Amino acid sequence: MLSRRHFLGRATAIGCSLAASPLLTPVTLASAPWDTRLVVIILRGGMDGLDVVRPVGDPAFAALRPTLNAGDAGLDLDGFFALHPALVPLMPLWQREELGFVHAVSTPYRDKRSHFDGQDILEAGTDTFAGAVRDGWLNRMLQLVPEIQADTAYAIGTNDIHVLKGAAPVANWAPDANLRISPQALRLAQMVMEDDAAMHAALAEAQMLSEGAVNKRVKGNVERQIASFAASRLRANARVAAFSVQGWDTHLRQSRSLPRSLGRLADTILTLKNDLGAEVWGKTAVVALTEFGRTAYENGTGGTDHGTAGLMVMAGGAIRGGRVYGRWPGLGSADLYQERDLMPTGDVRAPVAWIMRGLTGIDESALERDVFPGLDMGGEMHLLR
């Protein structure tokens, strides 16, 4: 165990560079008076759910993506959906019903398709920008529980996980890294480039190419470090963890970049499972969420652009996995949202709320009113064992 003084001393040397952007987000944890565990992973950049869990049984799918569909068809899940080959390490979890998905879901965010607005809506958990909600839905959940206590706090790194930002006490930790420019400078560059397709694609490509160099400079795989640290705390007093995995903005050469991101996600989930141990993993739910999906059509550079509906990933011994949840809208031209995106048929907040309900016992009305204002949870989704 490293001392707080040691961590704070190292913090003075921490900055960031574009190449190191996957390291910017700390892991955030909070303890709670229940025995189950919840891990929330934010997939920043807009994950292409149509490539991760492929609707190969939809007759319109192949024609929408002639280049992206030219390779391996994927791993059959249920006769209709197939899993991206890069997630083959997770197939044993699927077979043990510890891995599942919710397809065609989105936040209430629509039309502008900005990463920054989309992530703000996702982490605030609201259905609108109105009211300028400053805290995150996971923190608001903790505010409903009496006598919440944080783990020991380590104020290291400069980025927050906004989903856990708020009045309830939480602890923060980030892996050590040799970084050079601030996260604020990186965010500014991303915002400037977002409306220019060529510059945006170039930035995404630079981030992808930098990952190998980053992992050489930093001891071990960063996501594994984060997952391992989270698991160590979740085995002790912590009951909630949140962190992010970046690299999902696949405007070009998606067949090259997406497998790398999926490999990091698989490493993260398997590290959590292995480091938590069978007993704790058996009462853990992991949910991975993204700000929006991507276009149903591939673009001219072998990638996909910002879309609407996407995919939620679930894992853990507490999850009722081995199935793809959600109402499939179809991919015919008349079925697409604005004739370009997968149509949302569900609010991604609803499955998260049902998982929280099952893990914590918080009342549905409180989840709809306080945690996810404006949400109608609908009928029980039976996502937990």
Side-chain angles (χ1 to χ4, degrees), residues 34-376:
W34 51 74
D35 197 35
T36 52
R37 275 72 165 175
L38 175 62
V39 180
V40 176
I41 306 174
I42 304 297
L43 306 177
R44 300 194 188 281
M47 182 181 71
D48 183 14
L50 287 173
D51 204 357
V52 178
V53 174
R54 302 166 174 176
V56 294
D58 191 305
F61 180 61
L64 292 171
R65 298 176 166 211
T67 301
L68 292 177
N69 287 330
D72 191 329
L75 308 162
D76 178 61
L77 294 177
D78 59 7
F80 185 88
F81 291 106
L83 188 65
H84 193 288
L87 290 181
V88 65
L90 297 184
M91 279 303 289
L93 297 184
W94 174 267
Q95 293 159 355
R96 289 197 296 270
E97 299 187 350
E98 295 179 353
L99 175 72
F101 307 93
V102 187
H103 225 316
V105 288
S106 72
T107 70
Y109 181 59
R110 293 292 182 273
D111 303 344
K112 292 185 178 181
R113 302 178 178 90
S114 161
H115 289 301
F116 308 103
D117 291 346
Q119 289 174 22
D120 285 348
I121 287 285
L122 174 64
E123 296 195 67
T126 55
D127 59 0
T128 176
F129 288 109
V133 175
R134 298 300 181 189
D135 55 3
W137 54 265
L138 199 47
N139 191 280
R140 292 197 298 275
M141 181 199 77
L142 295 174
Q143 293 174 36
L144 298 176
V145 182
E147 300 180 0
I148 284 289
Q149 295 182 355
D151 277 19
T152 302
Y154 296 103
I156 303 172
T158 54
N159 269 24
D160 292 326
I161 291 287
H162 294 289
V163 72
L164 257 176
K165 187 176 182 180
V170 298
N172 293 274
W173 177 88
D176 191 13
N178 180 19
L179 309 172
R180 295 179 182 172
I181 63 172
S182 72
Q184 292 80 6
L186 175 61
R187 182 177 175 90
L188 177 60
Q190 292 171 328
M191 293 178 72
V192 168
M193 295 181 186
E194 185 171 35
D195 292 331
D196 185 303
M199 293 181 69
H200 193 181
L203 178 60
E205 176 78 353
Q207 289 177 294
M208 180 194 73
L209 292 174
S210 73
E211 292 165 8
V214 170
N215 286 333
K216 289 178 182 178
R217 290 199 307 271
V218 180
K219 183 179 178 181
N221 177 283
V222 174
E223 284 76 22
R224 288 178 188 165
Q225 288 185 59
I226 288 174
S228 185
F229 178 82
S232 72
R233 305 309 301 160
L234 292 166
R235 288 197 313 269
N237 295 327
R239 294 295 178 265
V240 176
F243 53 89
S244 69
V245 175
Q246 303 202 33
W248 304 94
D249 199 13
T250 51
H251 285 282
L252 75 167
R253 292 191 280 276
Q254 182 165 312
S255 62
R256 178 183 174 184
S257 59
L258 185 61
R260 297 185 183 189
S261 298
L262 290 174
R264 296 203 312 272
L265 179 60
D267 283 348
T268 298
I269 291 172
L270 292 177
T271 299
L272 283 168
K273 177 183 183 298
N274 294 335
D275 288 12
L276 284 171
E279 181 180 355
V280 178
W281 175 254
K283 47 195 174 186
T284 296
V286 180
V287 296
L289 314 166
T290 193
E291 64 262 35
F292 44 61
R294 306 191 76 83
T295 49
Y297 298 91
E298 66 180 53
N299 62 28
T301 60
T304 53
D305 299 317
H306 299 174
T308 307
L311 181 78
M312 171 177 152
V313 181
M314 306 178 295
I319 290 292
R320 188 189 299 271
R323 62 205 76 186
V324 180
Y325 295 87
R327 180 168 61 87
W328 183 247
L331 292 173
S333 58
D335 301 318
L336 298 177
Y337 181 73
Q338 296 185 344
E339 300 183 345
R340 52 164 281 163
D341 301 340
L342 180 64
M343 178 72 72
T345 60
D347 189 322
V348 73
R349 298 175 300 168
V352 176
W354 282 114
I355 288 172
M356 292 165 66
R357 170 83 175 93
L359 293 178
T360 69
I362 294 175
D363 186 72
E364 294 171 40
S365 61
L367 289 167
E368 292 177 330
R369 180 188 64 245
D370 301 317
V371 179
F372 295 114
L375 173 65
D376 180 355

